[in-house]
Structures are given as C-alpha cells and as structure tokens.
Amino acid sequence: MYGFEAMTFNIHGGYLEAIVRGHRAGLLTAADYNNLCQCETLDDMKMHLSATEYGPYLQNEPSPLHTTTIVEKCTLKLVDEYKHMLCQATEPLSTFLEYITYGHMIDNVVLIVTGTLHERDVQELLEKCHPLGMFDSIATLAVAQNMRELYRLVLVDTPLAPYFSECITSEDLDDMNIEIMRNTLYKAYLEDFYKFCQKLGGATAEIMSDLLAFEADRRAVNITINSIGTELTRDDRRKLYSNFGLLYPYGHEELAVCEDIDQVRGAMEKYPPYQSIFSKLSYGESQMLDKAFYEEEVKRLCLAFEQQFHYGVFFAYMRLREQEIRNLMWISECVAQNQKSRVHDSVVFIF
C-alpha cells in the first residue's frame, strides 16, 4: 500500500489534514517565547498572548490572573480543536484520534486513585484532571479499594478495559502499586497503539512507529531511573518496558540491571539517537534529562509535518500543543514567583 495513499487519502482525510496544518501554523514561535520571557506580570503575558490564537480564550479573564487560569484556557483551546477534528473524522482516523486521548485517561485514573488514597476531595481532583481524558464514570473511581474493584466497578466500560488484564490483582492500592499500575497500563496502551498504526500501513505506520518507539524508549529510561533504590526487582522492572522500540530487546536487558544513572548512561550511549541526548548532560546528572528528551521529541514531531497523506500529523500537532502549554505554564510560574532568571531552564522551543 505504501506510496498509493496520495490517490485516496484526500477523499476522507484531506480536509482535516488541511485543518491540522493550519493549526500548526498558529503555534508560538521563538520570537513569541522571547517576548513572553521578558514579561513582568501575568497581565503582561495575557496582553502578549492576546495577539496569538489564545487571545479569544483569555480576553474575558479579569485581573489579577493566576497561572492555573492561563493553563486552563490554553488547554481549553486544544480541547476545542480536538473535538472539532473528532466530529469531522471518519474511520479509521476517528479511532486514531481517540487513541491519542487514552494516555490522558490513564493519567486521570491514577490522579483520582492517588488523591483518594491521600483523602483528597473528589471534586477538587476532578478539576485537576485533563479534559481530554475524561469519561462518564470517572468520579466513581474513588470507591475502589484494589485493582480488581477498580476494574469491575468502573473501568470495564471504558476504552482502558483491555489494558487492565495485566494488572488486576487483589492487593490493596498504595503508592507503589499505583505507579506500577500506571506503567503497566501505559505499556499495554503503547503496544496497542503501535499495532493499530502498523495495521494502517503506509506513511502513517512509518512515522508513528518512530514516534511511538521514541515514547516507549523514553518511558523505559524514566522507569529505570525512578526505580533505582526502590524495592522493585529487576524482573518487575523489565516487565514494565514496552515490547518494541529501538532499545527492545537488548537495551531492556541492560537497563533492567542498572543500579545508578551513570550505568543507564552507559547502556544508552550504544544507541546513536540517544547518545546525543546523554552527551548534553554531565555525569551523574539526571535533572535536565526530561528537557533533553522533550527537545528530541519536538524535533521528531516537527519532522512529521514534512510528509503528506498520513495521520501522524494529528498526533504530532496534539503533542506539540501540549508541549507549548507546558512551556506557558513554566514561564507563567516563573513570572508569578519572580524567578525570571530560571525562565529558560525548562522552555523547549518548538520552531
């Protein structure tokens, strides 16, 4: 099929591809970020953002502004665009777009379950949930005491149901179990999404394989670093790694036995794409690793737009917009807390 998408793609996908490429043109540029980094107050930020596509969403917000308001309104814009695209999509694009939100669903489930464990108010937790990951019975997650109940009472009717088969246990939920549940769900989700993209074939399979493999590898590295010094055994650690990606299977064998960050670095430097990421860090340092991974991801997402007639642009656009919202959150927090010297620490320029 590869190479023949051009003949039929535009029948169903042409309009939406044009829409998503139009949205991509509205992403903030380096000049916008430089101006935002020089703002003295959040109202200055609002004034600058009023000239961008975020303007209509922020114009009716009264002063003084809060960081949460800016992030909320910018996320609302992303949600509106997503819903518009989903309404216009036909199969298989509509299923592809739904897959993009499953990651947020997993995060929301974990947020509610963790919050309930720490006796937080359910309504307060629901407000913190990502709007793209909401589903009808999400509020009832608070009643579950263990994974089995969580599945039987709530998640059996959601798209996440098939991913739960690997982590249904009768153990009570605690912080460790919840983290293992999050990573097991993510593993099943990424593998399922990967298989779905392979089934679509053509340029979509080629581009999405690369993007999802990068995501799987990044999660493998993060799981390794976060589990150093915990009671998680090597076998348990290996079970949380996705069964695809550049590191699969030999890189996973090495990561499973790593005892510190420098051993992780040694294992990763055998893979050229990741060698360049770790070369930016000094030995023993892992604080800047997230930013280095985000920068590499943004580079790959931008490359997805260089090719036509594939669904990867929708995934790339959603991820780039989410990165932009993370950037705006960091800048507005720095401005609000008068920490202007740190403003460039976590901003990842997109263009």
Side-chain angles (χ1 to χ4, degrees):
M1 173 62 189
Y2 187 56
F4 290 96
E5 297 97 337
M7 295 169 71
T8 56
F9 184 89
N10 282 351
I11 299 170
H12 296 297
Y15 168 68
L16 281 175
E17 192 184 357
I19 289 279
V20 82
R21 286 178 186 275
H23 286 328
R24 176 228 186 225
L27 289 166
L28 299 179
T29 61
D32 290 319
Y33 283 121
N34 286 331
N35 290 338
L36 287 168
C37 290
Q38 288 164 17
C39 292
E40 294 295 329
T41 64
L42 293 183
D43 287 319
D44 290 350
M45 281 188 69
K46 175 186 165 185
M47 190 171 73
H48 181 75
L49 288 171
S50 65
T52 68
E53 289 188 359
Y54 293 115
Y57 289 85
L58 289 166
Q59 65 188 14
N60 296 325
E61 291 304 312
S63 296
L65 269 181
H66 296 286
T67 305
T68 45
T69 312
I70 292 176
V71 173
E72 206 177 285
K73 295 298 172 188
C74 294
T75 307
L76 183 62
K77 178 185 185 308
L78 173 66
V79 172
D80 286 349
E81 289 169 354
Y82 171 80
K83 284 182 176 166
H84 172 71
M85 290 192 291
L86 188 61
C87 288
Q88 303 288 338
T90 55
E91 284 295 341
L93 178 56
S94 54
T95 305
F96 182 89
L97 288 173
E98 282 166 4
Y99 264 108
I100 295 173
T101 63
Y102 293 173
H104 294 300
M105 278 189 196
I106 294 168
D107 289 338
N108 286 356
V109 167
V110 171
L111 177 71
I112 299 265
V113 173
T114 311
T116 311
L117 190 68
H118 294 209
E119 297 176 356
R120 301 280 291 278
D121 180 46
V122 178
Q123 203 51 46
E124 182 192 328
L125 292 168
L126 285 173
E127 285 168 16
K128 288 185 177 173
C129 284
H130 197 289
L132 283 179
M134 298 303 260
F135 49 87
D136 293 341
S137 51
I138 193 164
T140 52
L141 287 170
V143 300
Q145 297 298 313
N146 58 42
M147 311 270 190
R148 204 176 290 274
E149 280 184 24
L150 197 66
Y151 177 75
R152 188 173 57 80
L153 297 173
V154 186
L155 296 168
V156 70
D157 295 325
T158 70
L160 300 181
Y163 308 149
F164 255 83
S165 57
E166 285 186 41
C167 58
I168 296 179
T169 61
S170 299
E171 288 178 37
D172 283 351
L173 292 167
D174 59 30
D175 285 341
M176 185 74 164
N177 283 340
I178 291 170
E179 264 319 296
I180 291 172
M181 177 182 83
R182 182 210 295 271
N183 287 308
T184 310
L185 286 175
Y186 248 105
K187 173 192 171 180
Y189 156 61
L190 285 174
E191 287 175 4
D192 190 29
F193 196 4
Y194 183 80
K195 280 180 198 148
F196 176 74
C197 293
Q198 291 298 318
K199 207 165 66 183
L200 291 176
T204 302
E206 183 196 357
I207 286 159
M208 286 305 297
S209 295
D210 179 56
L211 295 175
L212 291 173
F214 179 76
E215 178 70 18
D217 291 343
R218 175 170 63 181
R219 293 195 73 80
V221 173
N222 285 338
I223 288 165
T224 307
I225 292 171
N226 293 336
S227 63
I228 290 169
T230 65
E231 65 222 42
L232 203 67
T233 65
R234 291 172 178 183
D235 287 339
D236 287 343
R237 193 191 284 182
R238 196 182 289 116
K239 280 181 198 160
L240 298 176
Y241 301 152
S242 301
N243 295 327
F244 68 97
L246 188 60
L247 299 178
Y248 175 76
Y250 303 112
H252 290 172
E253 298 292 331
E254 290 190 49
L255 285 178
V257 298
C258 288
E259 298 293 341
D260 60 42
I261 180 72
D262 287 335
Q263 287 181 5
V264 174
R265 185 191 190 114
M268 297 298 287
E269 282 182 341
K270 294 171 186 170
Y271 298 86
Y274 302 125
Q275 187 180 6
S276 59
I277 292 175
F278 278 82
S279 66
K280 296 176 187 174
L281 311 176
S282 55
Y283 278 88
E285 179 189 57
S286 61
Q287 287 87 355
M288 296 304 287
L289 184 60
D290 279 348
K291 186 183 178 184
F293 268 123
Y294 280 138
E295 284 170 348
E296 178 64 23
E297 184 186 31
V298 162
K299 235 182 273 175
R300 291 172 183 233
L301 294 170
C302 290
L303 285 175
F305 286 93
E306 300 297 314
Q307 211 166 323
Q308 257 185 305
F309 310 122
H310 65 90
Y311 295 157
V313 287
F314 297 95
F315 178 82
Y317 171 70
M318 298 294 286
R319 284 300 177 90
L320 287 173
R321 208 38 118 176
E322 284 166 19
Q323 179 58 53
E324 184 171 279
I325 292 167
R326 277 195 293 273
N327 288 344
L328 288 171
M329 182 163 89
W330 177 261
I331 294 170
S332 48
E333 283 288 1
C334 286
V335 169
Q337 294 175 26
N338 206 14
Q339 295 281 336
K340 296 277 290 295
S341 57
R342 296 192 55 203
V343 81
H344 285 286
D345 285 3
S346 280
V347 174
V348 177
F349 291 103
I350 293 172
F351 296 118

